[in-house]
Amino acid sequence: MSKYTTGELAKICDVSVRTVQYYDTRGILIPSELTDGGRRIYSEEDLKKMKAICLLRELDIPINSIKELLSEEHPEKVISVVLSEQKQALKTEIAEKQARYDKLEALEQSLKKVENFSVESIGDIAHIMANKKNLHKMRTFMSIIGVLMGLVQMGMLILWITKGVWLPFVIVMSISAIIAGAISSFYYKRVAYICPECHSVFRPAFKEFMFAKHTPSIRKLTCTDCKHTVFCVETYGKEA
């Protein structure tokens, strides 16, 4: 059976001699033999144990925990549980870092669109990013309602054209008008706008909101604070 000195064991496991000696002093890896001159001699089993220790340390498992694990009657069972917990912790850490990366990426892309960069610009972008998910959910909900309304209207129109029955179409259109008004009010109460001039977040009057020029993300409004009429960026706001 092969035997190894401290230096040989360290070289095989790609660690320093001091690390091997440290594990000995901590009682984690005690050499199988000591020569008359006091040299540590490690066996093949010691080598396997050292490799296991190195792997556990790479997974950030503390020295004290490793010592306890290796002293168990069935260490493989306990190690399996520890590894599962460590894996879950890593998944959480990766998810958190991915979320941070996504925010950095979104911030970088948003800054490219800002002509006159300022600290206030970052504040505007941060506000938009923080509320992006809520705004997306609301728009998705409204899109679904709009599609359903359109399908019902189309069905009643086809019924009128093919069967000459017009009353259901009139009823559906009347109901759709009421729903459209309710949806507009729902949307209005849950959005706000960021003024690019003074960077304040405001909600315009309902009439101005309804008839202003707009795209899916901006609307030409008069800021309630600085009174400038400009295209303002839409964001999710607290319900009015």
Side-chain angles (χ1 to χ4, degrees):
M1 182 179 287
S2 300
K3 294 184 179 182
Y4 308 93
T5 64
T6 301
E8 290 170 339
L9 190 72
K11 185 176 181 180
I12 294 171
C13 296
D14 196 24
V15 296
S16 66
V17 171
R18 183 167 294 183
T19 297
V20 179
Q21 294 171 341
Y22 173 70
Y23 290 157
D24 181 10
T25 58
R26 292 296 301 269
I28 300 174
L29 184 69
I30 299 172
S32 298
E33 299 178 29
L34 283 176
T35 65
D36 295 336
R39 293 183 65 190
R40 299 175 175 87
I41 301 297
Y42 296 92
S43 66
E44 196 69 38
E45 287 300 315
D46 293 333
L47 174 60
K48 292 178 181 178
K49 191 174 183 181
M50 181 63 184
K51 288 180 177 180
I53 293 169
C54 291
L55 176 60
L56 294 173
R57 286 299 296 136
E58 286 178 7
L59 296 173
D60 288 333
I61 296 176
I63 291 292
N64 291 337
S65 297
I66 293 175
K67 184 177 181 179
E68 292 176 6
L69 287 173
L70 296 179
S71 65
E72 291 285 333
E73 185 176 352
H74 298 288
E76 67 282 356
K77 295 181 180 179
V78 183
I79 289 174
S80 178
V81 174
V82 171
L83 292 180
S84 295
E85 292 179 351
Q86 199 74 1
K87 183 178 177 181
Q88 186 57 49
L90 276 174
K91 281 184 177 179
T92 302
E93 184 180 346
I94 290 170
E96 290 173 350
K97 288 186 176 181
Q98 182 63 50
R100 286 166 57 190
Y101 176 84
D102 291 342
K103 286 183 178 180
L104 287 170
E105 183 72 18
L107 177 59
E108 184 180 43
Q109 294 301 319
S110 298
L111 287 176
K112 290 178 181 178
K113 300 176 184 178
V114 178
E115 294 182 3
N116 299 314
F117 175 77
S118 66
V119 175
E120 289 83 0
S121 299
I122 295 181
D124 294 346
I125 294 169
H127 191 285
I128 294 168
M129 288 170 60
N131 294 281
K132 187 176 182 179
K133 186 178 291 185
N134 288 329
L135 188 62
H136 176 71
K137 286 181 179 178
M138 184 178 64
R139 286 175 174 169
T140 301
F141 168 74
M142 292 181 62
S143 296
I144 293 172
I145 296 297
V147 170
L148 292 176
M149 287 173 56
L151 290 174
V152 174
Q153 291 170 5
M154 184 62 69
M156 294 303 100
L157 179 60
I158 292 172
L159 180 65
W160 184 9
I161 294 172
T162 57
K163 302 294 184 180
V165 182
W166 56 269
L167 185 58
F169 177 75
V170 174
I171 294 173
V172 166
M173 291 303 293
S174 300
I175 294 173
S176 295
I178 295 172
I179 293 176
I183 289 293
S184 297
S185 178
F186 171 85
Y187 191 68
Y188 169 74
K189 291 178 179 179
R190 287 165 176 78
V191 293
Y193 293 87
I194 302 174
C195 174
E197 296 292 333
C198 67
H199 304 281
S200 63
V201 180
F202 70 98
R203 181 175 282 113
F206 183 72
K207 183 178 179 180
E208 183 184 17
F209 165 82
M210 287 296 295
F211 296 103
K213 293 180 180 180
H214 67 280
T215 70
S217 58
I218 60 174
R219 194 174 293 259
K220 193 169 186 179
L221 301 167
T222 300
C223 176
T224 56
D225 288 347
C226 70
K227 307 305 179 184
H228 280 87
T229 301
V230 290
F231 277 103
C232 302
V233 181
E234 189 171 88
T235 183
Y236 190 83
K238 292 181 180 179
E239 185 176 352

